Amino acid sequence: MATTEEIKALRDETGVSIMQCKKALEEAGGDVEKAKVMLRKASAAIATKKADRELGAGIAAAYVHAGGQVIGAVVLSCETDFVSNNEEFKKLAYDIAMHVAAMKPQYISRDDVQEGDLRAAREVFADEVKNVPDAAKDKALQGKVDSYLKERVLLEQPFVKNGDVTVKDLIDGAVQKFGERVQLTRMERLSVR
C-alpha cells in the first residue's frame, strides 16, 4: 500500500488527482516509475475520449531566446476560459513555445506533413536501403521515414526539459489534469539566422 508521502510526491510531480495517483501506485506495487507510465497511458486514453469536444478558449504564448535571436510561439487551445486562465495551463503553453524555439519542429502532427515532403524523404531513404535484403527493405525504409518524422513533428519530439516524455504526452497529461480537451492548434518559430 502506498504511503501518503508517496501519493503526495506523485501528485506534485504529475498534477494528477490524489485518487488517480493512489490507484496507480497500488496497481504498480509501489513502483513510482511504473505508476508514472500507467498515469501517462491513462491520460492518453482520456485525451482520446475527449477528442471530439469543441475548443472555445486558449492562450497564445511566446518564448524569446538567445538575446532576441529566436522566438517560439504557440497557440494552445482548450474548451473553457476557466482552464485557459489557469497558471499551470499558461506555463504549459510557455514551455511548449520554449521547446519550439529550441527544437525547430517543422510540423505539429503527422497530419500536417505534405505528401510531397513524404515522397521526397522516401526517395532519399530508398537510396540508403538499396543494399538491404528485399524481405526487410520496406520495413527498413519505413523505420527511416518514421525516425525522420519523429525529429520534425512537434508532438512526437521528446520534450526539451524532460526527454522521457514527448510533447504529446505533456498535452495528454493536461487533458487528464484539467478534465477537458487540450490541443496545440498553431506554432511558429522565427529566427534571425
Side-chain angles (χ1 to χ4, degrees):
M1 184 165 172
T3 68
T4 305
E5 291 80 25
E6 291 171 328
I7 296 169
K8 184 179 182 324
L10 185 59
R11 179 185 170 33
D12 290 345
E13 188 172 339
T14 64
V16 177
S17 75
I18 290 174
M19 291 308 291
Q20 287 177 319
C21 289
K22 180 180 178 186
K23 182 180 177 189
L25 278 168
E26 287 173 356
E27 288 179 16
D31 184 333
V32 174
E33 292 305 314
K34 191 174 177 183
K36 287 181 197 175
V37 170
M38 293 169 76
L39 288 172
R40 274 198 295 272
K41 285 184 179 181
S43 66
I46 290 168
T48 300
K49 287 180 187 176
K50 297 181 184 216
D52 61 346
R53 290 186 177 179
E54 188 173 329
L55 300 169
I59 187 167
Y63 172 82
V64 180
H65 183 69
Q69 300 289 307
V70 178
I71 296 174
V74 299
V75 174
L76 190 62
S77 299
C78 58
E79 296 174 44
T80 65
D81 288 339
F82 178 76
V83 169
S84 68
N85 290 325
N86 182 296
E87 289 304 316
E88 287 184 65
F89 186 82
K90 291 176 182 178
K91 183 178 182 328
L92 174 63
Y94 179 80
D95 283 349
I96 295 172
M98 178 186 58
H99 177 95
V100 168
M103 301 307 292
K104 304 179 189 177
Q106 292 175 278
Y107 314 99
I108 292 175
S109 73
R110 284 194 184 212
D111 294 339
D112 299 329
V113 181
Q114 301 293 315
E115 187 56 42
D117 295 339
L118 275 177
R119 191 172 29 256
R122 283 190 190 102
E123 288 173 7
V124 169
F125 296 130
D127 191 47
E128 291 181 15
V129 299
K130 67 182 176 191
N131 295 328
V132 173
D134 288 342
K137 194 173 286 194
D138 286 343
K139 190 173 184 176
L141 178 61
Q142 189 58 47
K144 287 190 172 284
V145 170
D146 286 343
S147 178
Y148 171 81
L149 290 176
K150 188 175 181 179
E151 292 175 6
R152 287 160 180 78
V153 173
L154 174 63
L155 294 178
E156 297 181 27
Q157 290 179 331
F159 181 50
V160 72
K161 290 172 103 178
N162 177 0
D164 294 337
V165 297
T166 64
V167 174
K168 182 180 185 321
D169 292 336
L170 288 178
I171 293 171
D172 288 350
V175 171
Q176 185 177 25
K177 184 184 297 185
F178 300 120
E180 64 182 52
R181 181 176 171 210
V182 175
Q183 181 178 338
L184 189 66
T185 52
R186 188 166 178 206
M187 72 154 187
E188 296 290 334
R189 183 180 187 277
L190 304 172
S191 120
V192 173
R193 290 180 235 138

